[in-house]
């Protein structure tokens, strides 16, 4: 899996690639990350990559030509057949929200080329000619696409075999199909009592069926309280049992 990152600030990625448990994915080459600065493909003494927008207004716009040259170099380096080229992804407010389903799809792919915008945006002609997919982290605006690119890389890297200490741990993450798309339950560790609060009795029972039912009910309760639309989605997909529905009814969420 290879991700080529087009960014004016490649230095921002160094800590991500060298820190935390996901560094295993990058160090092993499971997730091959290559950084490309479009300034290297700009002309003139100042290697200019931006200019004022036509029609006036604040800010600057990334030039199409340096981006096109950078993209051509990446595609040449990847050596892909034209019919099987990696998609060029732009992080943008109009893009598809980055959800677990999309991350899972990327985690099983051959990778992509990620374009990190800056300033007021990218010349629309470049987007129209080359961008195949746009992705958004949410309804807010960042200074650039680098943080969004890091979020995608981290989410994808942790799903690669051997990256996490416990290979099955990601299956208990919030939104995972193994949890029927629900949020995860609360977690507790030692000491048994802290600041006057004790660990829930069910977790100390040693009864695995009781523990699993407690966790299921907590997932239902947390999801119903904070993300009720996920309950609706699980219900529509027939993922809720009669016991789940009875518990939700007791909460007033059924």
């Amino acid at each position: 899996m290879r991700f080529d990152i087009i960014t004016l600030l490649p230095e921002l990625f160094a800590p991500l690639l060298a820190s935390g448990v996901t560094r295993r994915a990058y160090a092993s080459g499971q997730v091959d990350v290559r950084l490309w600065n479009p300034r290297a493909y700009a002309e003139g003494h100042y290697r200019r990559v931006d200019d004022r927008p036509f029609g006036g207004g604040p800010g600057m716009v990334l030039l199409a030509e340096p981006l096109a040259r950078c993209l051509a170099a990446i595609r040449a380096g990847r050596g892909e057949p034209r019919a099987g080229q990696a998609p060029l992804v732009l992080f943008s407010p109009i893009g598809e929200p980055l959800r677990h389903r999309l991350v899972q799809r990327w985690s099983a792919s051959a990778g992509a080329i990620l374009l990190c915008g800056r300033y007021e945006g990218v010349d629309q002609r470049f987007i129209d000619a080359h961008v195949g997919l746009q992705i958004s982290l949410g309804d807010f605006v960042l200074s650039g696409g680098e943080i969004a690119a890091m979020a995608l890389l981290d989410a994808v890297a942790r799903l690669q075999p051997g990256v996490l200490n416990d290979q099955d741990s990601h299956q208990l993450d919030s939104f995972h199909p193994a949890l029927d798309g629900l949020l995860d339950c609360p977690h507790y560790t030692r000491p048994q009592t802290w600041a006057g609060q004790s660990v829930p009795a069910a977790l100390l029972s040693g009864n695995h069926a009781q523990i699993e039912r407690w966790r299921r009910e907590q997932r239902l309760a947390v999801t119903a309280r904070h993300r009720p639309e996920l309950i609706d989605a699980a219900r529509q997909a027939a993922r809720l049992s009669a016991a789940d529905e009875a518990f939700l009814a007791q909460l007033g969420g059924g």
Side-chain angles (χ1 to χ4, degrees):
M1 179 184 300
R2 173 173 163 175
F3 286 95
D4 293 273
I5 317 294
I6 301 175
T7 171
L8 293 174
L9 300 171
E11 64 273 13
L12 292 181
F13 289 84
L16 172 79
L17 301 178
S19 306
V21 68
T22 53
R23 73 185 185 281
R24 299 172 184 168
Y26 312 125
S28 68
Q30 284 176 283
V31 181
D32 181 8
V33 177
R34 307 191 188 192
L35 303 170
W36 303 76
N37 193 332
R39 289 194 189 280
Y41 300 88
E43 295 179 334
H45 179 70
Y46 294 104
R47 297 286 182 178
R48 190 169 187 173
V49 294
D50 62 315
D51 208 333
R52 295 185 299 275
F54 281 115
M60 306 291 275
V61 177
L62 284 173
L63 296 165
E65 189 57 30
L67 292 175
R69 293 194 189 111
C70 183
L71 178 61
I74 293 171
R75 295 221 180 273
R78 291 179 72 102
E80 300 166 320
R82 189 170 185 82
Q85 288 184 336
L88 175 61
V89 179
L90 173 66
F91 296 100
S92 163
I94 72 171
E96 177 183 358
L98 184 61
R99 296 193 173 100
H100 182 76
R101 172 179 51 80
L102 186 57
V103 170
Q104 280 193 307
R105 196 168 76 207
W106 282 115
S107 71
S109 74
I113 303 169
L114 309 181
L115 173 56
C116 302
R118 279 272 152 185
Y119 312 125
E120 288 300 306
V122 177
D123 189 305
Q124 187 64 40
R125 292 167 294 185
F126 178 83
I127 296 174
D128 293 341
H130 297 290
V131 171
L133 176 66
Q134 300 192 51
I135 293 176
S136 171
L137 287 191
D139 294 342
F140 57 94
V141 177
L142 297 166
S143 299
E146 286 79 11
I147 292 175
M150 291 181 205
L152 176 60
L153 289 174
D154 186 78
V156 167
R158 67 189 303 278
L159 296 184
Q160 301 309 303
V163 172
L164 300 181
N165 289 322
D166 185 341
Q167 181 53 37
D168 294 329
S169 64
H170 68 78
Q171 296 185 17
L172 298 179
D173 289 341
S174 294
F175 313 114
H176 197 283
L179 298 186
D180 297 322
L182 304 177
L183 298 177
D184 197 6
C185 62
H187 298 277
Y188 299 85
T189 188
R190 290 153 182 78
Q192 185 172 324
T193 301
W194 179 80
Q197 298 185 60
S198 297
V199 174
L203 297 179
L204 305 174
S205 68
N207 184 320
H208 293 296
Q210 183 179 348
I211 291 171
E212 286 309 308
R213 188 61 214 168
W214 180 89
R215 287 174 172 163
R216 178 67 174 186
E217 291 179 349
Q218 289 298 306
R219 289 171 183 136
L220 291 165
V222 169
T223 306
R225 184 181 310 120
H226 297 286
R227 295 289 301 277
E229 76 278 10
L230 298 179
I231 294 287
D232 294 338
R235 181 175 288 129
Q236 291 172 10
R239 293 176 176 172
L240 300 184
S241 67
D244 292 339
E245 294 288 11
F247 178 76
L248 288 169
Q250 291 178 355
L251 291 178

